[in-house]
Amino acid sequence: MAVTAYIMIKANTGEADRLRDSIEDIEGVESAYIVAGDVDVIAKVHVETPGEVKDIAASQIQGIRGVEDTQTYIAMD
């Protein structure tokens, strides 16, 4: 059973466009959008396991220069 998650990403000022492009290049990321509000980018992830979600959020996205913080929400259905 596949896992869908949404990762909310806060970016350093002026970094949202570059971050979105870098995030969209990550395997498992279906899409990434620049948004208005408390976060700067929302990424939709669709992978096979919760562990893959953790790897994408904690290792890959947080490892991109310009990312200040992330919050991950796993869809329940």
Side-chain angles (χ1 to χ4, degrees), residues 18-73:
R18 183 185 59 79
L19 289 178
R20 181 196 57 210
D21 294 342
S22 296
I23 291 164
E24 284 184 330
D25 289 340
I26 296 171
E27 186 175 339
V29 174
E30 282 191 357
S31 55
Y33 300 95
I34 295 173
V35 297
D38 293 339
V39 298
D40 301 296
V41 179
I42 297 176
K44 181 180 180 183
V45 174
H46 191 75
V47 292
E48 293 299 315
T49 67
E52 290 175 273
V53 173
K54 179 184 174 192
D55 177 61
I56 290 170
S59 298
Q60 297 185 58
I61 291 176
Q62 288 185 5
I64 298 171
R65 183 180 50 83
V67 171
E68 287 186 11
D69 193 25
T70 63
Q71 290 183 314
T72 303
Y73 299 90

